[in-house]
Amino acid sequence: MDTRRDFIRKTAILGTALCLPVSLTSESRAEYPALKTRDPKKALVLWYSQTGQTRRYAKLIGCTLKRKGLDIDARDMQEFDKNLLPGYDLIILGTPVFYYDTPSNVSEWLETIPSILGTPVATFVAFGGPEGNQHNASTHLLKLLAKKGGVPVGRDAFRNITSYPTPKWDSANQISGQHLPNTATFDQTRQFTADTLERIIRGETISVSYELALREGLRMLPLVWLNKKAISKHTVDAEKCISCLTCVKKCPSKAINPLKQTVDREKCLACFGCLNNCPADAVVIEYRGERLYGFPQYLKRNKITIMEPPEFSTCSL
Ligand SMILES: Cc1cc2nc3c(=O)[nH]c(=O)nc-3n(C[C@H](O)[C@H](O)[C@H](O)COP(=O)(O)O)c2cc1C
Ligand code: SF4
Ligand code: SF4
């Protein structure tokens, strides 16, 4: 029987094969509406984040823009009223890469936002896997925003330790000792912010094209479904649970009920947000019979403290 690592490896190989570079890309730069401003005053930095990496980059972007004199709102998209989106001169959105793509709850959210005609938009992703699909995940976000009238002015991907739980937390970057982000990652984030702003001032846009033409095929792989099939147990340990409801807040699909110790397997997106955020190690997930433990436990067992940008000591958002 395949182990979880075999499954991940095979998926990665298939993914790589599907992503062989070919020259078919979809370019849509010419179709953008005019920028509504080349002098943005009020910016929104929005994020979806399960384990805090995307939120950290989003806040650093917000602090960098604030230093440049802009008014900044920095918000978790799960708590943000999407009807306020048209009121901003610049929208920067960040998400993690999940299953080689944008988390499905984020895509669904973006499908229902109001028109943001002419608003400069930039996207970024936090990722932890091998490089390859991150450009397309951020492109997918840009395409969704452009569909509502947003004008693409920036895109980037920031690498960090992955929060994808395996029984031993032994993927390459989990055991390498390089527990990103580091100062270079934060410099990249600041540079992305500065470049995005300068592009708006110059009235420039960026192309929205998938780097690897066969990605659509990859996205059609039922990765979430396959993973859900392999999850042999998903419940809550009533003895350990402290009823903090963090898992409920983090669950993007309202699938978990810690008070009843139930998980609606139909609704579950296999994002591991419940496991990766439970402070009491009370979320029980078995993958083909092997018990997983979450990101807080992984950090604790390996005595890892994730680095914070120095700006955070003076900039509050
Ligand atoms: C369910 C799940 C799926 C993931 N899939 C990918 C992936 O396909 N590619 C990748 O580079 N990283 C992947 N990752 C790693 C995340 O992108 C990475 O841990 C990210 O920094 C998490 O951001 P957050 O802390 O803001 O939630 C995955 C993580 C999880 C939990
Ligand atoms: S996050 Fe953990 S401790 Fe808190 S309610 Fe959920 S299962 Fe219980
Ligand atoms: S119950 Fe499923 S969808 Fe909800 S946080 Fe847990 S893994 Fe994600």
Side-chain angles (χ1 to χ4, degrees):
M1 184 189 276
D2 281 358
T3 63
R4 179 174 167 82
R5 291 184 69 191
D6 290 334
F7 164 70
I8 294 164
R9 198 175 301 120
K10 281 180 190 166
T11 308
I13 290 166
L14 181 57
T16 309
L18 278 169
C19 288
L20 282 173
V22 289
S23 58
L24 302 167
T25 55
S26 58
E27 176 75 46
S28 56
R29 187 195 293 252
E31 294 156 21
Y32 303 149
L35 283 171
K36 76 177 184 189
T37 178
R38 286 175 59 178
D39 181 20
K41 303 257 187 273
K42 192 178 173 199
L44 172 69
V45 190
L46 206 56
W47 68 83
Y48 172 69
S49 182
Q50 278 286 8
T51 45
Q53 307 278 21
T54 315
R55 182 182 58 232
R56 187 173 291 104
Y57 302 131
K59 290 202 165 183
L60 180 54
I61 290 165
C63 290
T64 308
L65 288 172
K66 208 171 167 184
R67 277 194 177 178
K68 290 178 184 290
L70 278 80
D71 279 343
I72 304 300
D73 284 336
R75 300 275 185 273
D76 181 334
M77 58 168 274
Q78 287 180 301
E79 293 159 9
F80 185 77
D81 176 359
K82 57 181 85 166
N83 293 314
L84 300 176
L85 286 169
Y88 291 93
D89 300 333
L90 164 64
I91 299 170
I92 301 185
L93 170 67
T95 77
V97 180
F98 280 178
Y99 298 110
Y100 300 95
D101 206 345
T102 308
S104 57
N105 56 303
V106 174
S107 308
E108 282 164 21
W109 194 89
L110 289 172
E111 291 285 359
T112 60
I113 63 172
S115 168
I116 49 168
L117 192 69
T119 308
V121 291
T123 62
F124 67 94
V125 291
F127 73 100
E131 313 227 355
N133 292 85
Q134 296 77 28
H135 173 94
N136 288 339
S138 58
T139 296
H140 189 201
L141 287 173
L142 273 179
K143 280 194 179 275
L144 288 164
L145 287 166
K147 226 166 110 178
K148 301 292 178 174
V151 183
V153 290
R155 170 194 30 227
D156 212 338
F158 308 124
R159 186 165 199 190
N160 47 251
I161 189 106
T162 181
S163 56
Y164 190 76
T166 55
K168 295 188 176 50
W169 286 81
D170 57 355
S171 74
N173 73 358
Q174 284 162 350
I175 56 174
S176 67
Q178 294 176 319
H179 300 300
L180 299 171
N182 60 15
T183 49
T185 327
F186 295 147
D187 280 346
Q188 186 193 346
T189 312
R190 294 181 194 104
Q191 192 62 49
F192 157 73
T193 314
D195 291 348
T196 298
L197 199 54
E198 275 164 30
R199 221 171 271 124
I200 300 170
I201 291 163
R202 290 198 302 267
E204 288 175 14
T205 60
I206 62 164
S207 69
V208 182
S209 52
Y210 289 127
E211 204 170 59
L212 309 158
L214 297 180
R215 173 181 177 275
E216 292 307 311
L218 181 64
R219 284 178 58 209
M220 283 159 69
L221 281 177
L223 297 177
V224 175
W225 180 84
L226 284 168
N227 245 2
K228 280 170 67 170
K229 279 281 199 208
I231 293 174
S232 43
K233 188 174 181 185
H234 193 167
T235 181
V236 173
D237 183 339
E239 301 273 298
K240 286 187 175 175
C241 179
I242 54 170
S243 304
C244 67
L245 302 186
T246 306
C247 55
V248 176
K249 192 171 165 234
K250 280 288 174 181
C251 179
S253 64
K254 296 187 170 56
I256 190 162
N257 184 338
L259 306 179
K260 292 185 177 166
Q261 296 89 49
T262 55
V263 173
D264 184 330
R265 302 291 293 271
E266 285 293 311
K267 286 187 184 169
C268 178
L269 306 175
C271 73
F272 302 104
C274 49
L275 178 83
N276 274 340
N277 286 285
C278 176
D281 196 24
V283 174
V284 179
I285 298 185
E286 283 181 9
Y287 194 94
R288 297 187 179 171
E290 276 196 88
R291 173 88 190 257
L292 302 179
Y293 60 93
F295 199 57
Q297 278 292 318
Y298 161 73
L299 296 178
K300 204 168 149 191
R301 290 183 194 197
N302 293 281
K303 299 186 175 54
I304 295 168
T305 306
I306 295 181
M307 190 177 176
E308 299 291 347
E311 283 92 330
F312 288 5
S313 56
T314 49
C315 163
S316 63
L317 281 174

